[in-house]
Amino acid sequence: MEKYYCTTAIDYVNGAPHIGHAYEKILTDVINRHYSQRADIAFMLTGTDEHGIKIQKTSASNGMTPKELCDTNAQKFKDAWKALGIDYTRFIRTTDENHERVVQKIFKKLVEKGDIYKHSYTGLYCSGCECFLNEKDLTEDGLCPDHMKKPELVEEENYFFKLTKYKDAIIKHIKTNPDFIVPSFRANEVINQLEDIQDISVSRAKSNVSWGIDVLDDPEQVIYVWIDALSNYITAIGYDVDSQTDEFKKLWPVDVHVIGKDILKFHSIYWIAILMALELPLPKHIFAHGWITIDETKMSKSLGNVVSPTSVLESFNLEYPDAFRYYMASAAPCGKDGNYSDDDFKEKVNAHLANSMGNLLNRTLSMLVKYFDGEIKSEFKKVSPLYDKSLETVKAVKHHFDYFEIQEAAQKIMELVDAANKYVTDSAPWTLAKEGKMEECGTVLNTVLEVMCVISSLIYPYCPNIARLMSDQLSYDINTKLDNITCNNIKPGKLISKDEIKPVFLRVDSEFADKGKK
Ligand code: MSP
């Protein structure tokens, strides 16, 4: 595989990042790190969405300019992603000068093409969604169902994009590419939405929304936030309407846009139509993940249950973000909603990462030191059932990632950990040693250590720091590509001495969490 290009949604900067934003960035980072083990280049784009009425209003009520609010909050997102080990390749802000310039050119090109036209319009605008809503989308009380707020009646002369022109082509594309929208059950929803699709307003009057990118040659209008925001996926990598950088040519089309289920319509309809209008190839996949609740409750400012991702690291006194990453990435089956709770977090990471995985490495290495002074003898063998299972697991994990089944892939890895634990218990190397069956004892340890190399590679996207601690103790090259894993890493000779053995993950203590809450 030559390249893998993945993107996240870009977050609104009217507040600080919360655990829902973090869920998506972790999922995408895990996907990107997995493909870095398969492709020559893995490129992850993330960033912030900084224009629109919401930012304009929030900054005004905070006594700041919109740019000041954006600068302050964009930094909070960057800091949070750093703390969570999100290893993005590029971070785009929609206030970046290059982005603004290219968006203006994209808009102009579509006007020249006749795909954007001017039209007087009356509509109901929800600033929470940053979009116009139809009457039929509202609750019985006339509220936006997502934000439970009354949309504003807006009468404006706006530019409109001819979405209807692309309707049939989009339906055809979705129907002929069953893996385009992931999970596939969402494709029908999109097709239903397409049935009664109208042309969409793609600008706002500057008198109503001033914080946006100006329409070239029409200073009274600013470009609608979604056209601005969606274009980030191409402007960030060097698309420039009449010229394209080598990087763009290499990376586009994107392999996957990772987004929340609430913004699927914008990506699978609006964005696809824009790309068709620009005559660009379409994304390979759009992966719509579910939503994260807190203690089974929807997060909301009014309930006061908005959880900051870095507060979890702090309250559990975590040295590395790995446990939180592992928990979040495996919080929900592909496309379904998931939940965060302190108790479940503690229970799961202690069971999986400390008791099962970390302990297995620790006690196997300790036995190697105890019985063989840390040396792998040339007569030790590697036995096949477990060894075969580890290679099968590599295949299964790859397969799950190809379908964005990130929780399911993690389960496969833990099944391999469990199988290795069972093998150790069943073969009882301590009894073999007591009985003087040293070759058999060494064979058990050698086999498990070989499997641990595979496990460190597979767990790396979720837990990069733990994986490095594991691979260092195994003298295993963590940069091994998944296709080159051979189960032939542990070689005869001295592997480790007593003082080099370190636990890779210490149990998370509830005391820390309780202190953090106080
Ligand atoms: N700015 C737009 C996206 C533009 S993409 C070209 C936006 N921003 S957002 O800040 O509201 O949301 C950013 C991402 O976070 C979206 O994919 C959204 O689905 C996701 N999430 C926001 N809250 C969430 C949860 N509680 N759980 C999981 N993801 C959620 O939409």
Side-chain angles (χ1 to χ4, degrees):
M1 192 185 286
E2 218 178 298
K3 66 90 188 175
Y4 196 85
Y5 174 35
C6 57
T7 66
T8 70
I10 50 173
D11 304 310
Y12 290 129
V13 284
N14 51 317
H18 57 59
I19 210 166
H21 298 129
Y23 174 57
E24 178 176 282
K25 304 327 175 245
I26 291 172
L27 276 182
T28 315
D29 185 65
V30 170
I31 292 170
N32 189 51
R33 286 180 188 261
H34 171 86
Y35 282 100
S36 75
Q37 299 177 304
R38 294 169 65 181
D40 298 336
I41 300 173
F43 189 109
M44 170 177 168
L45 176 69
T46 190
T48 41
D49 188 356
E50 306 193 355
H51 294 121
I53 190 75
K54 220 171 359 190
I55 309 285
Q56 190 179 316
K57 285 184 178 168
T58 312
S59 61
S61 62
N62 289 355
M64 296 165 108
T65 64
K67 185 71 171 84
E68 280 166 354
L69 179 77
C70 293
D71 287 348
T72 308
N73 284 346
Q75 192 56 44
K76 290 185 188 159
F77 281 84
K78 285 187 178 172
D79 291 345
W81 302 159
K82 189 166 180 210
L84 296 184
I86 309 295
D87 191 20
Y88 55 77
T89 322
R90 196 157 296 157
F91 191 99
I92 185 167
R93 297 179 56 185
T94 54
T95 50
D96 289 344
E97 187 270 329
N98 179 64
H99 173 79
E100 293 190 344
R101 186 181 59 78
V102 179
V103 167
Q104 287 182 317
K105 283 172 77 176
I106 290 173
F107 197 92
K108 188 169 178 185
K109 176 169 174 163
L110 299 183
V111 172
E112 284 166 1
K113 209 180 161 193
D115 278 350
I116 287 182
Y117 59 94
K118 223 169 176 183
H119 175 63
S120 287
Y121 183 69
T122 307
L124 295 165
Y125 197 82
C126 170
S127 61
C129 302
E130 291 284 13
C131 72
F132 286 99
L133 299 175
N134 295 322
E135 295 269 3
K136 71 171 182 45
D137 299 330
L138 306 180
T139 65
E140 280 179 8
D141 307 327
L143 307 180
C144 160
D146 284 342
H147 298 93
M148 294 316 273
K149 281 201 185 128
K150 204 175 165 75
E152 200 184 328
L153 185 71
V154 170
E155 266 187 273
E156 282 180 5
E157 184 169 48
N158 291 161
Y159 284 94
F160 273 70
F161 175 68
K162 274 192 191 159
L163 196 55
T164 44
K165 175 173 162 189
Y166 297 98
K167 172 180 161 178
D168 292 343
I170 301 174
I171 295 179
K172 186 167 167 221
H173 186 78
I174 295 174
K175 287 191 171 161
T176 50
N177 293 279
D179 58 356
F180 175 57
I181 295 176
V182 182
S184 54
F185 67 80
R186 296 246 174 250
N188 276 341
E189 278 172 33
V190 175
I191 296 209
N192 288 341
Q193 284 166 338
L194 272 158
E195 291 305 339
D196 52 2
I197 206 86
Q198 305 290 322
D199 289 351
I200 50 161
S201 155
V202 287
S203 73
R204 296 294 313 271
K206 218 178 196 173
S207 50
N208 288 331
V209 185
S210 57
W211 183 237
I213 303 177
D214 288 353
V215 172
L216 276 182
D217 312 321
D218 192 346
E220 290 315 307
Q221 296 273 317
V222 295
I223 295 170
Y224 171 60
V225 279
W226 278 95
I227 301 289
D228 163 7
L230 291 162
S231 303
N232 92 88
Y233 301 131
I234 53 176
T235 65
I237 55 164
Y239 176 79
D240 198 356
V241 180
D242 31 42
S243 69
Q244 300 169 2
T245 59
D246 287 344
E247 186 175 56
F248 179 82
K249 288 181 199 152
K250 184 159 201 124
L251 293 175
W252 196 259
V254 65
D255 290 86
V256 63
H257 288 313
V258 180
I259 52 156
K261 61 181 183 180
D262 55 318
I263 55 172
L264 180 58
K265 178 171 92 180
F266 299 101
H267 284 78
S268 58
I269 303 180
Y270 297 9
W271 178 228
I272 299 310
I274 295 168
L275 288 170
M276 286 177 170
L278 293 173
E279 293 163 38
L280 285 174
L282 303 183
K284 292 191 191 147
H285 306 283
I286 299 175
F287 166 35
H289 61 74
W291 270 42
I292 293 295
T293 51
I294 302 293
D295 298 327
E296 311 294 345
T297 312
K298 195 174 169 188
M299 249 188 305
S300 83
K301 278 192 192 154
S302 49
L303 286 176
N305 67 344
V306 178
V307 174
S308 129
T310 44
S311 73
V312 177
L313 306 187
E314 282 156 21
S315 61
F316 282 102
N317 208 15
L318 296 176
E319 188 183 355
Y320 299 118
D322 296 38
F324 181 65
R325 292 170 55 97
Y326 174 77
Y327 181 80
M328 294 307 288
S330 50
C334 175
K336 298 274 172 58
D337 293 342
N339 181 58
Y340 174 86
S341 87
D342 279 349
D343 287 343
D344 188 46
F345 168 71
K346 201 176 58 190
E347 201 179 301
K348 192 166 167 191
V349 300
N350 281 344
H352 293 191
L353 303 182
N355 298 357
S356 298
M357 192 177 76
N359 221 358
L360 175 62
L361 178 68
N362 203 270
R363 60 194 184 121
T364 311
L365 287 174
S366 300
M367 283 190 273
L368 190 73
V369 167
K370 183 170 175 193
Y371 303 133
F372 303 101
D373 197 24
E375 194 180 327
I376 302 286
K377 310 274 184 202
S378 52
E379 63 270 23
F380 295 173
K381 297 184 188 62
K382 287 167 191 160
V383 292
S384 92
L386 192 59
Y387 173 114
D388 289 348
K389 187 175 172 73
S390 52
L391 293 181
E392 279 160 23
T393 305
V394 175
K395 264 197 213 154
V397 166
K398 281 167 66 180
H399 180 83
H400 282 306
F401 269 88
D402 288 343
Y403 289 88
F404 307 103
E405 293 164 349
I406 315 304
Q407 180 198 59
E408 296 81 344
Q411 276 164 0
K412 280 279 170 216
I413 303 169
M414 283 304 141
E415 278 170 25
L416 180 60
V417 171
D418 290 346
N421 269 309
K422 182 170 185 309
Y423 169 66
V424 173
T425 309
D426 292 351
S427 2
W430 48 89
T431 308
L432 295 171
K434 220 185 265 170
E435 292 168 354
K437 297 177 179 163
M438 299 318 282
E439 194 183 320
E440 281 176 55
C441 172
T443 292
V444 174
L445 303 183
N446 196 24
T447 304
V448 174
L449 293 174
E450 191 64 55
V451 173
M452 290 313 291
C453 293
V454 179
I455 291 170
S456 69
S457 264
L458 295 179
I459 205 72
Y460 162 79
Y462 302 81
C463 303
N465 299 289
I466 293 179
R468 282 208 180 90
L469 285 171
M470 289 171 69
S471 62
D472 282 353
Q473 294 179 67
L474 293 159
S475 295
Y476 169 66
D477 179 7
I478 195 66
N479 297 318
T480 307
K481 295 277 184 205
L482 293 187
D483 284 342
N484 298 338
I485 288 183
T486 53
C487 274
N488 195 16
N489 301 292
I490 303 290
K491 300 274 181 350
K494 176 97 175 173
L495 185 71
I496 198 154
S497 56
K498 191 169 180 216
D499 50 7
E500 288 169 330
I501 301 179
K502 283 187 216 88
V504 293
F505 179 68
L506 293 171
R507 283 175 64 85
V508 165
D509 192 341
S510 54
E511 263 180 48
F512 288 126
D514 295 341
K515 268 188 222 147
K517 274 182 196 155
K518 279 172 208 153

